[in-house]
Every structure is written in C-alpha cells, then in structure tokens.
Amino acid sequence: MIYDCIVIGMGISGISAAIYLKNGGLNILMLEKEAPGGLLNKINKINNYPGYAETTGPELSYKVFESVEALEIPYKLEEVVDISLADNLKIVKTNKDTYKTKYIVIASGRNPRKLNIENEKELTGKGVSTCAICDGSLYKGQDIAIVGGGNSALEEAIYLSKLVNKIYLIHRRDTFRAEQSLVNKVKKQANIEILYNSNVTKINSTNDILESIEVNNERTITVKGLFVYVGFESNTGYLKNLNITNESGNILVNAEGETQVDGIYAAGDAIQKDLYQLVTGASEGAIAAVNIIKDINQKENA
Ligand code: NAP
C-alpha cells in the first residue's frame, strides 16, 4: 500500500497534523516509538494551553489522543530508523517494517539533553532522572538536586518542592534563563537552595544507587535524586541521510513547514524555531498538513 502521508511522532504536533490530514480525506499512518503524547507525558503542570486554565501533561496527552481515536487515525508503535527517497515516493523504514508514502510530516520532537558526566547513564533510573512527574514521588521527604536554569528546571523545582524535603537547584550561571515569574516563585520557596555558578562534576553511588553529587569539584552534597533539566536535543539522528537539519540537529523548514526535500514537512520541537511551546507545536502541525493538502490539490489540478 502507498500512503498519502506518514506522520512521524504522536506528540501534540504530529497529532495536530494528523487531524487535519485525516479531515482532508488523506490515507495516513502515524508512527510513534514510545507512547502517544511524547514529551507531554513528562510535563507536570500546564497553564498556557488555551482551553485549560491548568492541567497536567498526561491529562492533555490523553485528551489529544482522544482525537486519534475519534477520527480513527491508524497508528503503529514503531521506531523510524531511516527515510529514503525512491522515484516520487518516500520509503520509511522502522524497527519492524517498511512503508511507502507520498508525503511525510516529521514531528518526532526532542529528547532531554544529558550532562554527559561519568555515571549519569548508569544511574539513570537509579537516582538520576529527567522526569519529575514520573519519578518525583520516589523522593518524598528526601533531599534532591536539580540541574538547569531554564523554564523546565524551575517549573519542576516548584513541583518537586511540594514533595521532597530539600532541593539544591544547581545552575551554571548567576542568572536564570527561565521566565521571571518562575524565578520569583523559586526564590520564595523555603526548601529550595540555589547554587549559582555551579556545575555537577561527579555523581557518586553505592551499590549502583545514587548517593551524592560533587559540585565544582569541591563540595559533596548527599542527595537521593538528581533531576537533569538542561534543555533538549532534537530527535533527528535517523534523518542524517536527508541533509535537512542544521548543526544543532534541528530541521530547517520554510513558512509552509516544508523541508528542502520535496514532500517532506516537519513541525514541533524537532524544527529550528524561536518558540518551543505546545501551542506553536500544534499550530506547526496544522500548517504542514494544510500545505500538504494544498500541494496535492495543486498537482491534481495542474
Ligand atoms: P532551556 O531553556 O534550553 O534551558 C536549559 C538550561 O540548562 C539553561 O539554563 C542552560 O544554561 C542549562 N544547561 C544547558 N546545558 C547545560 C550543561 N551541560 N550543564 C549545565 N547546565 C546546562 O531548556 P528548558 O528549560 O528545557 O526549555 C526548553 C524550551 O521549552 C524553552 O524554549 C522553554 O521556554 C520551553 N518551555 C516552556 C515552558 C512554559 O512555557 N511554561 C515550560 C518548559 C519549557 P544557560 O542558561 O547557561 O544556557
């Protein structure tokens, strides 16, 4: 079978694209390597998505997925490992199968960036985490550390401060990148100690469980958990052959959401842009889809 369009990624951006494509009458397939919702599943509080004064990531993720079910959009939980071009078609290879399609929307999002220090990988799930909403409750009443100075680190610090005993918020500079309102909230929280101009230089463990961290190679702090929120990297390694990413791994698209490869569009956190937000991700998914539908109509009427 040849699909009209394959959408890669079932986060808010991919699902938004799929809604428009399906409503436009296209024969589509969605592919997702983990769980529908993507990064949404890892966000604890959302208060900037219209229609929801306040909600959680998993709750919004569930609501978004309801559209997939309601519109009977076909999807498969498979990881895309390669995309190649053949004649006028795109060949999408996953870990399980190979699919042919006329168009693609890449909405495969981003992965949390790592500190890239010794023991970080080995202790992930054993004290090191990148998901407060998934793992926060494991550290009730304990001391933990959070690394990062952006919106994510500060939002999760506020969330975790209600659960844990004490938080060391470790930031490499002396000013935060996060919004001022979050900075104000963090500074008011009595159980958050901010360590400016600080880097985690070592992670120590006992019996394969995180025991303490070293900061700036000089101070050892005993913590049960280390939450790393130092930004994200586009999940685009599988696109190397297409040459559509910049040096940061972000996909370059034009105003229509199209990459430099004819028929391959991209949307959401995987693209190079100024504003990484749920609303922009949803909007870019719609823009890509509508332009695909326009392109098909133009070719049919040519
Ligand atoms: P971010 O804005 O890129 O911030 C990453 C933070 O980690 C920065 O403070 C950075 O320090 C620090 N950092 C980066 N690499 C590091 C390293 N190797 N070691 C130590 N620190 C390191 O990432 P984010 O906070 O995850 O946010 C990502 C995007 O999503 C942003 O556009 C953000 O606005 C958006 N977001 C929005 C909301 C919201 O609207 N409520 C919530 C979450 C995220 P420097 O400051 O020194 O560079």
Side-chain angles (χ1 to χ4, degrees), residues 39 43 45-48 110 113-116 147-156 170-179 182 198-200 228-232 269 274-278:
L39 211 56
I43 303 174
K45 188 175 133 188
I46 294 164
N47 67 359
N48 53 9
R110 298 186 291 170
R113 188 179 289 136
K114 293 184 173 55
L115 292 171
N116 287 322
V147 194
N151 282 333
S152 299
L154 272 67
E155 275 194 347
E156 304 310 325
I170 299 167
H171 180 39
R172 65 183 178 182
R173 288 189 296 128
D174 60 357
T175 49
F176 285 115
R177 179 180 292 273
E179 286 166 16
L182 285 172
S198 298
N199 282 293
V200 176
V228 180
Y229 280 104
V230 294
F232 292 85
D269 278 2
D274 291 333
L275 191 58
Y276 291 88
Q277 293 282 312
L278 294 169

Side-chain angles (χ1 to χ4, degrees), residues 15-26 71 282 285-287 289-290 293:
I15 290 180
S16 168
I19 291 169
Y20 281 83
L21 293 165
K22 179 79 185 190
N23 284 340
L26 270 61
L71 293 170
I287 289 169
V290 168
I293 293 166

